Amino acid sequence: MTTLKNDRFLRALTGQPVDMTPVWMMRQAGRYLPEYRATRKQAGDFMSLCKSPELACEVTLQPLRRYAMDAAILFSDILTIPDAMGQGLYFSEGEGPRFRKVVRSEQDVEQLPELDTPRDLGYVLDAVSTIRRELNGSVPLIGFSGSPWTLATYMIEGSGSKDFRHAKAFMFNQPQAMHLLLDKLARAVTNYLNAQIAAGAQAVQIFDTWGGVLSTHAYREFSLAYMKKIVAGLTRESEGRHVPVILFTKNGGLWLEDIAASACDCVGLDWTVDIGAARARIGEQVSLQGNMDPSILYASPASIREEVGRILRDFGPGSGHVFNLGHGITPDVDPDNVAVFVESVHELSRQYHQGQA
Ligand code: CP3
């Protein structure tokens, strides 16, 4: 067991006192960094980068060399699971992910294989253990997966979507087949996250990027129910420490109480939510992660600093907040603005933790 030099992130996730608010960024290893673009070029394409544990480790560490991030996130993608199920994932330049096969019938669902994580996704586990070794206890490593609903949308649509017409028609017309698919995915995600934890992930995040396109009723039945099932099946202690779980439903602001009742440790917030109001609603039960609008990183250093200050003030004093963006950083942000963001969080948050750590 290595001792962590910086455990601020893990402490804030469970509401323990910290000296300053921890910060990391969704998509912190990505195209806004020239060194990321160089490594991706070396790998040839995005999936080859994901499938090389050494190169995935390299890009995971790149943002940590530039900025004082309080956590590293495994470099991979949520679509590794459908890829391992044989759906034929590929990325066409500038168009996002695509699948050669789509799921459109109950028979298609039945034909999806049950995954054997070490055999089918061993490259991800190798990346996790390689990154843990290279981090050498500097900061904790976050593992992740997509939510069953979010994975299902890509598998049914065959790509990203604006209106989710196929996924929603499938849900309304063939609810039984949809539940069968979500159940299969929930089992795969549980095993996948537990394998990441066994390989060294110290916290895990479930990305429910498209839960927010559902009605309240459908969200509970087709997205949240399966995330709850996953949380109930996760390893919650490893290496003598609690393994926190973060649930992030983009556009889930209406359902914070339901999400907090899922037995997760932390609820991820997008930027549409007032973090002070969110704290009043669920802050007794869970910690909060978020929630700066990523597009503020296009603004001036003074504006970035002011917005960081506003969010810290809205959250207020005490622990239980992990600073992050409300969604992933965009590819054309100036890397220098990210430095301003991270430094502002650390500097401006100290006053809210005085006498507490
Ligand atoms: O946060 C991190 O730094 C870890 C790496 C990470 C990636 N994808 C790398 C990536 C994580 C956590 C993800 C999750 C992911 N992938 C989600 C959920 C989170 C979210 O952003 O909503 C989703 C929906 C995907 C599916 C996916 N992968 C899409 C839609 C795309 C294309 C997006 C785009 O901007 O073109 C990807 C590709 C992808 N995943 C990239 C990265 C860095 C860009 C690929 C490239 O290098 O060209």
Side-chain angles (χ1 to χ4, degrees):
M1 202 200 307
T2 43
T3 41
L4 263 174
K5 292 175 195 101
N6 171 357
D7 65 353
R8 208 176 271 139
F9 167 73
L10 294 178
R11 293 178 65 84
L13 283 175
T14 49
Q16 292 168 268
V18 287
D19 55 347
M20 43 191 175
T21 303
V23 56
W24 69 280
M25 262 186 345
M26 290 191 269
R27 292 272 175 99
Q28 64 191 23
R31 282 166 294 181
Y32 73 103
L33 290 176
E35 58 270 36
Y36 168 84
R37 297 195 298 268
T39 310
R40 191 186 61 173
K41 201 165 167 195
Q42 188 190 338
D45 58 61
F46 175 70
M47 280 314 285
S48 306
L49 178 54
C50 291
K51 289 183 179 177
S52 156
E54 287 70 33
L55 296 182
C57 174
E58 164 58 25
V59 294
T60 300
L61 300 179
Q62 285 171 350
L64 303 167
R65 294 191 191 116
R66 279 186 186 245
Y67 318 112
M69 300 289 184
D70 294 295
I73 180 161
L74 162 70
F75 187 83
S76 188
D77 198 84
I78 63 166
L79 300 177
T80 51
I81 285 183
D83 181 52
M85 287 179 164
Q87 295 306 100
L89 172 67
Y90 66 101
F91 283 81
S92 51
E93 198 61 42
E95 283 185 56
R98 300 229 175 243
F99 287 106
R100 289 198 173 81
K101 274 167 96 180
V102 290
V103 173
R104 293 284 165 88
S105 68
E106 182 145 3
Q107 204 191 355
D108 292 341
V109 177
E110 278 160 3
Q111 280 170 359
L112 292 169
E114 293 282 337
L115 295 183
D116 174 335
T117 310
R119 183 193 65 201
D120 302 325
L121 290 158
Y123 67 91
V124 178
L125 308 180
D126 291 343
V128 170
S129 46
T130 306
I131 298 163
R132 264 303 291 279
R133 193 186 64 228
E134 294 301 314
L135 282 172
N136 195 26
S138 53
V139 290
L141 175 61
I142 307 166
F144 72 90
S145 171
S147 73
W149 163 255
T150 294
L151 295 177
T153 63
Y154 285 99
M155 294 170 80
I156 297 167
E157 298 289 338
S159 67
S161 175
K162 281 201 166 70
D163 53 13
F164 300 92
R165 64 176 73 182
H166 297 293
K168 286 191 175 183
F170 192 86
M171 172 181 88
F172 289 124
N173 291 333
Q174 308 178 72
Q176 247 180 305
M178 190 62 168
H179 280 302
L180 199 66
L181 172 59
L182 294 168
D183 206 54
K184 249 187 179 168
L185 288 169
R187 270 200 304 282
V189 169
T190 307
N191 294 335
Y192 184 49
L193 289 176
N194 281 338
Q196 290 182 32
I197 293 166
Q202 290 148 298
V204 293
Q205 174 159 330
I206 301 173
F207 286 90
D208 186 29
T209 307
W210 302 121
V213 305
L214 292 168
S215 68
T216 295
H217 182 83
Y219 174 71
R220 290 194 187 119
E221 181 178 342
F222 293 95
S223 185
L224 186 59
Y226 291 93
M227 293 197 284
K228 273 191 186 162
K229 204 165 166 176
I230 293 164
V231 176
L234 289 180
T235 307
R236 299 301 277 276
E237 196 170 317
S238 182
E239 305 176 56
R241 254 191 120 125
H242 180 65
V243 182
V245 181
I246 307 164
L247 289 196
F248 172 61
T249 291
K250 184 156 175 271
N251 282 314
L254 285 175
W255 311 312
L256 297 182
E257 289 79 4
D258 300 275
I259 302 171
S262 68
C264 66
D265 298 272
C266 177
V267 174
L269 306 174
D270 66 53
W271 64 91
T272 64
V273 174
D274 174 328
I275 197 168
R279 190 181 193 184
R281 284 167 64 188
I282 58 170
E284 293 280 303
Q285 277 166 278
V286 290
S287 57
L288 301 175
Q289 178 174 276
N291 68 338
M292 194 172 90
D293 183 342
S295 58
I296 286 166
L297 295 174
Y298 295 126
S300 66
S303 307
I304 294 167
R305 208 176 148 81
E306 196 178 306
E307 186 63 8
V308 166
R310 185 191 61 74
I311 291 171
L312 289 169
R313 197 163 56 244
D314 285 352
F315 182 83
S319 185
H321 180 205
V322 171
F323 215 108
N324 204 314
L325 304 176
H327 198 205
I329 182 172
T330 40
D332 48 354
V333 162
D334 179 347
D336 290 344
N337 284 358
V338 175
V340 173
F341 164 63
V342 172
E343 283 160 20
S344 301
V345 172
H346 282 162
E347 266 175 54
L348 301 176
S349 66
R350 284 183 183 274
Q351 58 180 307
Y352 297 104
H353 299 288
Q354 260 154 27
Q356 320 222 13

